[in-house]
Amino acid sequence: MRVSVMCIALLITPLLVSPVKLFAQDSLEAKRIDWLLGASVGVPSYDGEIAAELLTLGVHFTQFRVNRLGADLSLGTVPRLLGNGVVTFGARAGVALPLALSPRVLLLPSGGLSLLGGFGAGGGGGTAGMNAGVAAVLLRGNAIGFRTGVTWHRFRDTDGALLLWELGFVRGQQQR
């Protein structure tokens, strides 16, 4: 039930933001933004149980082409486990379709492959799977914004799905 309410809130929030011209002279289009680069904090959930103790820190890179598929990459780790001598990583690689819901609000449905791994003094291991997600991006005229999203992950070695809820910031970058 809590997961359903959070999904609905995530999808409705962008619709409540008042529109401003996206294609104004100082807009993202005028600045030729090619990538959205950002950092986020995430909270995983497995089988309906939120695991706040496994808080994640990550970075993401999304190719910015409104209404066209582009690359979508993300890397993350669980800092708490580093303190216990375990190095963890998670990665997503796939595509996203940036959709302009209003002049400064983007919806980013995405999908692709997922990797999870870790290693410590006793060895290491990992697993692969697939993911699907959606993020909402609220941008300011200076190409800096807020990003929130949820990604569903299904790994071959698990019975259930993992959800990762993320909040963070993005900045538009022009390819040089």
Side-chain angles (χ1 to χ4, degrees):
M1 179 68 174
R2 286 184 291 177
V3 172
S4 300
V5 171
M6 284 192 247
C7 286
I8 291 168
L10 178 67
L11 294 174
I12 290 175
T13 301
L15 301 176
L16 302 176
V17 177
S18 62
V20 183
K21 286 191 174 187
L22 178 62
F23 300 110
Q25 190 63 21
D26 66 339
S27 74
L28 298 175
E29 188 70 16
K31 292 181 181 182
R32 293 194 51 232
I33 299 301
D34 295 315
W35 289 88
L36 292 175
L37 311 177
S40 62
V41 174
V43 178
S45 167
Y46 183 77
D47 200 24
E49 296 294 322
I50 293 175
E53 68 277 6
L54 298 178
L55 183 91
T56 65
L57 294 180
V59 293
H60 42 83
F61 313 89
T62 304
Q63 194 171 17
F64 183 75
R65 301 186 306 181
V66 175
N67 298 325
R68 291 179 41 203
L69 286 176
D72 187 47
L73 307 166
S74 180
L75 300 169
T77 189
V78 178
R80 180 170 187 246
L81 297 178
L82 287 171
N84 296 337
V86 178
V87 176
T88 60
F89 69 89
R92 293 191 309 251
V95 295
L97 179 64
L99 302 170
L101 296 181
S102 75
R104 293 191 186 189
V105 179
L106 300 171
L107 189 66
L108 299 170
S110 63
L113 301 175
S114 298
L115 295 172
L116 273 182
F119 59 90
T127 187
M130 58 185 168
N131 69 69
V134 63
V137 177
L138 309 174
L139 292 168
R140 293 178 40 129
N142 58 2
I144 295 175
F146 173 75
R147 177 178 172 145
T148 183
V150 62
T151 310
W152 171 90
H153 299 266
R154 178 68 182 210
F155 295 98
R156 64 182 156 157
D157 301 330
T158 61
D159 293 331
L162 174 87
L163 290 175
L164 181 62
W165 303 90
E166 295 176 288
L167 299 170
F169 294 95
V170 295
R171 178 170 177 81
Q173 293 291 317
Q174 183 177 0
Q175 198 171 26
R176 298 180 197 268

